[in-house]
Amino acid sequence: MNMKIKTTMKMSAAVAALLVVAGAAQAQEILQFSHTDNPGGSRDQAAQVFADKVAEYTEGRYEVRIYPAGQLGNDPKAIEQLQLGGVDFTVSATGSYATHLPSLNLTAMPFLVDSYEQGWEFYDNSAWLQGEFDKLPEVGFRVLSTWEAGFRSYTTNFELHSPADAVGKKMRVFPNDMIRWTMEAIGFQTVVMPVTDVYLAIQQGTVDGQENPVDTIVSLKFTEVAPNLTLTRHVYSPLPLTIAEETWQSFSDEDKDAVLRAAADSSAFSRELVKNSEAAQLEQLAADGATIITPEIGPFRDAVASVYDQARGVYGEEVDKVLAEAAAIRDAMPAN
């Protein structure tokens, strides 16, 4: 074999190798994950677990790129982008999805469950809720698993001990009828705004407070501007992880299984992280100067009793299905 032929063969081999490398690079698909948690927060940590597991379980065929802190849009915008194909994944409170499936408002009825374990049972095994989740692909996205945020409580620029203290005060809410009805039943005036705008709104006096789980309060530093934290735990507020239906349908069966495994792993991580961090977070908030208020819950429960009737006026018998399932779970799994 002469030198010219050998050189030609070496060049052909080199070109083939480059084509293989280029093909491998092109084969890895980038998936976008948008959320509103700050970098390093529990949702951001769970998103990283999810991304790592997707890469592992798909043998590197997919890379999930995470965009925290609302870089690609607030929660309602991220959900809209799921429908339009602008992002592939997001994670938000169940009530945020109710704009597209109004019945999900019912998950935000006050005082449905009293413990994390009861909440997990409801979200994993409620026949009613799973039936509602099954409707979501029709509007452009689907639930993969449920992450944890915890129970919603208040941070305010005044001390909140009872509903009487709420009268005339302005409370930020996200676009959810059930949350709005609950706040108004307690006595607040409500102001709808994205969570990414809340810190500045409290600082400027546009609102007097906000309500979110402790984990979110810590992540978004709300006690810096609203230093009174009242632990009403009035709504259990977990975070369904969702995928654009268009993205889901583009996967092979093998990749669907891989993404579901990653979603389950990230859910387990999120639940344990948030549950096990809450006590230490409250201690740190107190050490940093926040006033932690543990109110008598009875007056708050009494104040929101009218919310169930409001819900029946809109959702009919669905309300009592949800209340019955929640009551059965509370009876079977008493809170500690």
Side-chain angles (χ1 to χ4, degrees), residues 23-226:
Q26 290 174 357
Q28 185 181 55
E29 185 171 342
I30 306 302
L31 301 172
Q32 294 185 314
F33 191 145
S34 174
H35 67 75
T36 55
D37 196 15
N38 280 335
S42 69
R43 270 173 285 170
D44 194 50
Q45 292 182 56
Q48 190 58 59
V49 169
F50 178 70
D52 290 345
K53 291 298 183 180
V54 167
E56 177 185 345
Y57 295 151
T58 65
E59 299 179 339
R61 290 190 297 279
Y62 293 93
E63 177 190 345
V64 176
R65 289 187 182 170
I66 302 164
Y67 297 86
Q71 291 177 32
L72 302 184
N74 58 38
D75 288 316
K77 192 68 176 177
I79 295 167
E80 288 178 9
Q81 288 183 66
L82 282 182
Q83 297 174 296
L84 298 173
V87 300
D88 301 288
F89 303 101
T90 195
V91 62
S92 186
T94 316
S96 296
Y97 299 101
T99 301
H100 307 284
L101 184 62
S103 57
L104 292 180
N105 275 316
L106 297 180
T107 63
M109 285 193 292
F111 301 110
L112 283 181
V113 296
D114 301 322
S115 70
Y116 285 104
E117 291 77 10
Q118 290 176 4
W120 299 342
E121 178 67 18
F122 181 73
Y123 268 76
D124 290 347
N125 296 310
S126 161
W128 175 83
L129 184 56
Q130 294 308 313
E132 299 311 293
F133 281 168
D134 287 345
K135 298 173 184 176
L136 289 174
E138 298 174 11
V139 297
F141 52 90
R142 67 173 58 216
V143 173
L144 296 175
S145 68
T146 303
W147 292 2
E148 189 56 82
F151 289 82
R152 304 181 81 88
S153 289
Y154 297 100
T155 53
T156 54
N157 56 17
F158 63 95
E159 290 196 7
L160 175 65
H161 294 274
S162 73
D165 298 323
V167 176
K169 302 296 186 179
K170 292 174 290 185
M171 176 60 54
R172 174 267 173 179
V173 296
F174 66 98
N176 178 275
D177 285 344
M178 204 65 60
I179 294 292
R180 180 172 57 82
W181 294 343
T182 298
M183 298 306 103
E184 291 171 354
I186 288 170
F188 290 109
Q189 299 174 22
T190 55
V191 179
V192 177
M193 69 175 63
V195 72
T196 46
D197 296 345
V198 172
Y199 185 102
L200 186 60
I202 298 174
Q203 194 172 46
Q204 294 179 337
T206 305
V207 294
D208 297 301
Q210 64 83 50
E211 47 88 51
N212 257 302
V214 169
D215 185 77
T216 304
I217 289 166
V218 170
S219 176
L220 299 183
K221 304 178 190 279
F222 285 139
T223 55
E224 291 181 354
V225 289

